[in-house]
Amino acid sequence: MRIISMSNNKGGVGKTTSTVNIAACLQKLGKKVLVIDLDPQAQSTYHFGISQNRFDQPIKIDKTIYDVIKGESSYKETIIDRNGIHVLPSCPDLRGIEFIALPAKEFLLRDSLETLNGYDFVLIDCPPSLGVLTLNALCFSNEIFIPLQVQFLPYHGMYNLFEAVDMVKKRLNKGIKISGIIGTMYNSRKAINNEVIEEIEKRLPGKLFKTLIRENVALQEAPSWGKTICEYKPNSTGADDYMGLTKEILERD
C-alpha cells in the first residue's frame, strides 16, 4: 500500500487538484484508492461534491476525519464511497487538533488508521502549512509528492518542506521519502516556467515527473461541479495530463 502525502507549505499550487484527479485516474486504471482530506479548508472534500453543511454539495456527511482522529468514530464508518473512490472527508473543525492537549500528537492519524488495509494507494491532501496536521500526514506516509507551480517563489519555498522532511526522517519516520515533484500550471510559452523546470532538473535530478500539468480552464471549473476532471471533461488537456502523470506514478512503484 503506497501512502502518499501531497504536500506543499504554499497554497494555490495545485495540491488539491492533483490529489483528486490522480485518485480519479488511479481508479480508472483499476486501483483501489483512499483519499484522506487532512486540510481544515476541506477543499478535496468539496471537490468530490461532499459537505457537512454546504447546500450546493450533493453528498452530505455527519462524520469526518476529525472524529476519527479524536477516537469518536472508526475510519470504516466514516469513509464515503464516492463512485468507487473512498474518501475520508474533512471539515473546518479539524483546526481544533492544534489545541487538543494530548501527548505525541504527531501520531494521531497513524494510530487511528493502524488497521487500514485493502488499498493500493492512500493519498493525503495536506494543509498548506508545516503544522501538526502535516506532521501527522508525514508520520503516516511512506512517500511525499510535492505539487509545485512552476514559478520562481514557489520553487524556492519548496526547500522549507525539504527541511521539515529531513527532521521527520531523522526523528519520527525513517522510511519516508520525497519521491516526486509535480509541475503544475505549466505554460510552455512562459520563459519562467521553462527556467524553473531546468533548475529543478539540475538541482534535483529524477524528482520532477516528466508529465507537466498544463494551464487548463476545465481544471479550475471542475471543483464547482463537485467532479473530477475525468467526470467533468474527460477529453480535456487536464484529463490527458493527469492520466499521463498517473501512469508515470505507477511506473515508479
Side-chain angles (χ1 to χ4, degrees):
M1 186 165 65
R2 292 177 69 178
I3 305 174
I4 302 169
S5 282
M6 296 283 189
S7 185
N8 192 317
N9 57 311
K10 186 179 186 307
V13 295
K15 177 175 56 63
T16 294
T17 299
S18 294
T19 302
V20 168
N21 291 310
I22 290 170
C25 291
L26 284 168
Q27 195 250 351
K28 282 193 75 173
L29 293 171
K31 301 301 180 184
K32 181 84 172 181
V33 186
L34 171 67
V35 173
I36 301 174
D37 189 351
L38 211 60
D39 187 347
Q41 297 178 83
Q43 292 186 352
S44 282
T45 302
Y46 297 147
H47 199 322
F48 280 119
I50 302 168
S51 174
Q52 277 189 307
N53 48 30
R54 279 181 49 170
F55 68 91
D56 57 337
Q57 299 298 316
I59 305 172
K60 304 299 181 184
I61 54 170
D62 297 318
K63 298 183 183 297
T64 71
I65 187 65
Y66 188 40
D67 299 295
V68 176
I69 287 175
K70 290 189 298 178
E72 296 176 1
S73 176
S74 73
Y75 71 85
K76 291 182 180 179
E77 62 186 2
T78 307
I79 284 172
I80 302 292
D81 186 342
R82 200 272 187 195
N83 296 338
I85 300 171
H86 286 187
V87 181
L88 274 171
S90 185
C91 66
D93 291 343
L94 185 58
R95 294 186 183 93
I97 207 72
E98 302 276 352
F99 309 108
I100 292 177
L102 287 172
K105 283 202 295 187
E106 63 271 22
F107 297 119
L108 289 173
L109 181 68
R110 186 195 69 182
D111 293 346
S112 63
L113 299 178
E114 62 182 350
T115 62
L116 184 72
N117 59 63
Y119 294 98
D120 300 303
F121 284 83
V122 177
L123 304 180
I124 307 174
D125 189 7
C126 299
S129 68
L130 295 174
V132 170
L133 288 167
T134 296
L135 195 56
N136 267 266
L138 299 185
C139 288
F140 181 54
S141 301
N142 42 48
E143 297 180 61
I144 303 166
F145 288 170
I146 305 175
L148 179 71
Q149 183 184 7
V150 283
Q151 297 282 353
F152 180 77
L153 291 177
Y155 166 67
H156 280 274
M158 176 177 65
Y159 284 91
N160 292 328
L161 178 59
F162 280 31
E163 292 172 3
V165 172
D166 283 344
M167 182 274 290
V168 170
K169 193 175 181 69
K170 288 176 183 176
R171 300 180 183 178
L172 302 169
N173 182 2
K174 293 181 179 180
I176 197 167
K177 63 180 180 179
I178 295 173
S179 55
I181 298 171
I182 301 168
T184 65
M185 305 177 202
Y186 173 69
N187 187 329
S188 61
R189 293 171 293 181
K190 293 181 180 178
I192 185 62
N193 286 184
N194 295 310
E195 289 169 9
V196 168
I197 287 166
E198 289 176 10
E199 189 71 11
I200 293 171
E201 290 176 336
K202 181 171 69 176
R203 291 180 176 268
L204 301 164
K207 292 294 185 187
L208 182 69
F209 286 104
K210 293 178 182 177
T211 304
L212 301 171
I213 308 303
R214 291 168 285 179
E215 290 180 333
N216 180 247
V217 173
L219 287 172
Q220 299 171 25
E221 295 172 342
S224 66
W225 294 91
K227 294 182 177 181
T228 70
I229 193 63
C230 300
E231 297 163 334
Y232 180 64
K233 286 197 176 173
N235 297 319
S236 64
T237 57
D240 289 344
D241 290 347
Y242 272 109
M243 182 56 76
L245 172 63
T246 302
K247 288 177 179 177
E248 265 195 84
I249 291 168
L250 292 172
E251 288 171 3
R252 289 195 183 188
D253 192 356

